[in-house]
């Protein structure tokens, strides 16, 4: 029988230890799958391993042929059953697995369970952690309640929001990437929220990787501006606005080229509506980094992000970014310095900003290095250290509570 939640414990004056932690990290997506969550979780795990922690990674078996799993010191993987995600058959969603997780964590008990995604596997992990009286943290990663509007499921908004609130309020700690999002979620009844930003690999994403060969393959001359979009080609990304902005910019600069990196159900629609765009599909590694650095202006019309890793990657690569004033853009962009933002509902303003950036653009524009400098202080190592600090405090609070009355309740972090 699962224990009832106990009164919250204020986590103050707790001195975290510095021993290595055994952390169970549960995620429904992981490389080589290509999306922001997979990349972020992989960077987190890489940083934790470098700091000497042991990681038990729980994820669905991917829709890939051949052997799976990795041989990395300090990392063990538990591959679970999954099913294809509608409209994204290359991705898989984990199936409920509470009994398997309870059994696994009884044999190899972690100090803490961290749940990165809010799907069925993530929910099972929260339940299993509660049953075993393990401290549990969670990431608020994706605005599923916002996405539902783009797939004819707006009537499910309340149900999805209720599920997300229940999911996260069963955790001892929910990590969010911005203060703005923390306030929004707190107003909707989410509890025990803590802000930890997102990092960017500034060694990988670098203006120095700008490549004349890449630009030649794109069919653009040295002085021709290139507009770049990186992300899923899906309704929730507001791609109609991307096309409108590009077409308005094209009227002002005929040599402008649109390069699109990503895949998704709207790829054919995008190609039909914008036949002169160059759709490159999915890229990764050096190829992606060179594409970022070889472009000039980054358009990001999405209004459904919790953060938007691509905004940070574009800035680190020296691109002038045009986005809406929220999520990563609100945190990172200084208008006229490294890019431009418009009000969240101001699509005409977005188009206008895009045209203004283009009119001011030239190959040596200072906005390029300003964008780069913005990101140099946001390396992943500092983000991982912040996560570790939160978890050490949480595990210390758990131990104190057990010592006090032998029971584990949901704990406050602020």
């Amino acid at each position: 029988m699962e224990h009832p939640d106990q009164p919250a414990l204020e986590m103050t004056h707790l001195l975290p230890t510095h021993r290595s932690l055994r952390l169970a990290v549960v995620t429904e997506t992981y490389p080589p799958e290509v999306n922001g969550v997979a990349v972020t979780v992989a960077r987190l795990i890489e940083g934790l391993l470098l700091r000497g922690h042991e990681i038990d990674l729980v994820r669905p078996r991917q829709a890939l042929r051949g052997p799976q799993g990795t041989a990395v010191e300090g990392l063990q993987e538990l591959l679970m059953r999954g099913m294809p995600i509608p409209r994204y058959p290359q991705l898989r969603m984990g199936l409920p697995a509470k009994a398997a997780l309870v059994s696994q964590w009884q044999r190899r008990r972690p100090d803490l369970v961290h749940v990165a995604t809010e799907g069925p596997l993530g929910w099972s992990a929260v339940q299993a952690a509660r049953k075993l009286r393990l401290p549990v943290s969670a990431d608020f990663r994706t605005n599923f309640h916002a996405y539902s509007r783009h797939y004819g499921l707006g009537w499910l908004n309340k149900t999805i929001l209720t599920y997300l609130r229940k999911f996260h309020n069963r955790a001892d700690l929910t990590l969010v990437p911005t203060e703005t999002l923390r306030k929004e979620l707190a107003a909707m009844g989410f509890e025990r929220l803590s802000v930890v930003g997102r990092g960017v690999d500034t060694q990988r994403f670098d203006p120095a990787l700008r490549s004349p060969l890449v630009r030649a393959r794109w069919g653009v001359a040295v002085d021709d501006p290139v507009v770049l979009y990186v992300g899923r080609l899906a309704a929730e990304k507001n791609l109609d606005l991307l096309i409108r902005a590009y077409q308005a910019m094209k009227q002002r600069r005929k040599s402008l080229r649109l390069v699109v990196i990503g895949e998704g159900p709207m790829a054919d629609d995008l190609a039909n509506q914008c036949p002169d765009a160059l759709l490159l599909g999915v890229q990764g590694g050096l190829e992606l980094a060179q594409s970022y650095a070889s472009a000039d202006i980054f358009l990001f019309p999405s209004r459904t992000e919790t953060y938007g890793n691509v905004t940070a990657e574009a800035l680190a690569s020296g691109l002038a970014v045009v986005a809406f004033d929220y999520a990563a853009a609100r945190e990172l962009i200084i208008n006229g310095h490294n890019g431009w933002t418009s009000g969240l509902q101001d699509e005409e303003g977005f188009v206008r900003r895009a045209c203004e950036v283009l009119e001011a653009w030239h190959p040596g524009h200072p906005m390029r290095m300003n964008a780069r400098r913005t990101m140099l202080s946001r390396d992943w190592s500092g983000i991982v250290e912040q996560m570790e600090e939160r978890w050490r405090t949480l595990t210390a609070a758990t131990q104190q509570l057990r010592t006090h009355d032998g029971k584990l309740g949901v704990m406050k972090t602020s």
Side-chain angles (χ1 to χ4, degrees):
M1 178 177 176
E2 294 189 19
H3 68 87
D5 290 340
Q6 300 297 319
L9 173 69
E10 288 284 354
M11 295 172 60
T12 57
H13 308 297
L14 296 172
L15 298 176
T17 64
H18 294 284
R19 68 177 180 84
S20 63
L21 298 172
R22 175 176 290 166
L23 302 164
V25 178
V26 182
T27 178
E28 318 244 356
T29 182
Y30 197 71
E33 295 170 348
V34 180
N35 58 73
V37 177
V39 170
T40 300
V41 173
R43 289 293 179 192
L44 173 63
I45 288 176
E46 178 183 309
L48 291 168
L49 291 173
L50 287 173
R51 293 177 70 85
H53 301 294
E54 296 180 57
I55 308 295
D56 290 346
L57 176 62
V58 182
R59 62 175 178 85
R61 186 175 295 278
Q62 294 166 321
L64 304 169
R65 294 181 179 179
Q68 297 191 35
T70 57
V72 177
E73 185 176 356
L75 175 65
Q76 292 195 20
E77 295 196 59
L78 179 62
L79 303 180
M80 312 297 289
R81 293 182 306 134
M83 62 175 290
I85 296 177
R87 301 196 184 201
Y88 293 93
Q90 73 278 16
L91 302 180
R92 299 183 74 80
M93 176 172 58
L95 296 175
K98 178 183 173 182
L101 293 176
V102 168
S103 177
Q104 169 72 11
W105 292 339
Q106 282 177 328
R107 292 193 304 269
R108 181 178 166 85
R109 188 177 180 89
D111 295 305
L112 179 140
V113 174
H114 179 67
V115 183
T117 53
E118 298 115 326
L121 180 59
W123 176 247
S124 294
V126 172
Q127 290 181 306
R130 283 277 155 261
K131 182 176 180 65
L132 297 174
R133 299 182 179 180
L134 293 167
V136 56
S137 66
D139 285 326
F140 191 92
R141 289 281 180 183
T142 307
N143 283 325
F144 290 116
H145 60 291
Y147 284 5
S148 64
R149 294 194 298 268
H150 296 278
Y151 292 98
L153 299 174
W155 57 278
L156 281 176
N157 275 0
K158 283 189 176 180
T159 300
I160 294 173
L161 185 58
T162 298
Y163 166 76
L164 289 173
R165 184 167 50 235
K166 181 178 180 180
F167 182 104
H168 286 282
N169 287 354
R170 288 282 287 164
D172 299 304
L173 174 66
T174 289
L175 301 169
V176 296
T178 67
E179 176 62 19
T180 300
L181 181 59
R182 187 198 68 77
K183 291 178 179 178
E184 290 175 357
L185 292 177
M188 292 187 286
F190 287 73
E191 302 169 351
R192 294 175 296 282
L193 304 168
S194 182
V195 178
V196 175
R198 301 275 171 84
V200 65
D201 188 341
T202 56
Q203 293 183 337
R204 177 185 175 195
F205 298 104
D206 188 335
L209 293 174
R210 190 175 181 88
S211 170
L213 292 177
V214 169
R215 289 176 61 87
R217 286 199 298 269
W218 293 347
V220 296
V222 173
D223 294 334
D224 290 343
V226 174
V227 169
L228 180 68
Y229 169 83
V230 178
R232 287 194 304 277
L233 306 184
E236 71 270 13
K237 298 299 184 179
N238 201 17
L239 296 182
D240 287 342
L241 180 58
L242 171 70
I243 295 170
R244 282 173 51 201
Y246 170 64
Q247 290 173 341
M249 296 167 77
K250 185 84 169 177
Q251 290 178 0
R252 290 163 173 77
R253 191 77 172 260
K254 298 300 182 184
S255 61
L256 184 68
R257 190 69 187 269
L258 172 62
V259 174
V260 176
I261 297 173
E263 62 181 16
M266 285 193 66
D268 290 342
D269 287 345
L270 181 59
N272 291 333
Q273 293 183 57
C274 199
D276 59 341
L278 187 61
L279 276 64
L280 300 181
V282 173
Q283 291 186 349
L286 178 60
E287 183 182 34
L288 175 61
Q290 286 183 328
S291 291
Y292 268 118
S294 300
D296 302 292
I297 300 168
F298 188 77
L299 297 186
F300 195 55
S302 174
R303 289 184 292 215
T304 57
E305 308 300 309
T306 55
Y307 187 70
N309 292 338
V310 293
T311 299
E313 292 168 358
L315 288 167
S317 302
L319 276 65
V321 175
V322 179
F324 285 110
D325 182 27
Y326 89 117
R330 176 172 292 180
E331 302 282 319
L332 302 173
I333 293 177
I334 301 171
N335 283 335
H337 178 72
N338 57 4
W340 286 98
T341 61
S342 66
L344 192 55
Q345 303 304 322
D346 187 6
E347 293 199 347
E348 293 305 319
F350 182 97
V351 174
R352 187 169 58 252
R353 291 299 199 190
C355 292
E356 289 171 357
V357 169
L358 177 65
E359 289 171 357
W361 177 89
H362 59 81
H365 198 287
M367 196 174 284
R368 187 170 182 82
M369 290 314 299
N370 292 341
R372 172 68 175 171
R373 293 190 189 101
T374 300
M375 303 312 302
L376 288 177
S377 63
R378 294 176 179 263
D379 188 76
W380 264 111
S381 59
I383 303 301
V384 173
E385 187 174 350
Q386 290 180 47
M387 297 279 280
E388 179 187 315
E389 179 186 359
R390 304 297 197 280
W391 288 335
R392 287 195 185 281
T393 305
L394 179 54
T395 55
T398 301
Q399 186 59 45
Q400 184 187 73
L401 185 56
R402 282 187 183 136
T403 301
H404 178 69
D405 64 5
K407 296 179 180 179
L408 176 62
V410 175
M411 286 155 275
K412 281 186 182 178
T413 59
S414 61

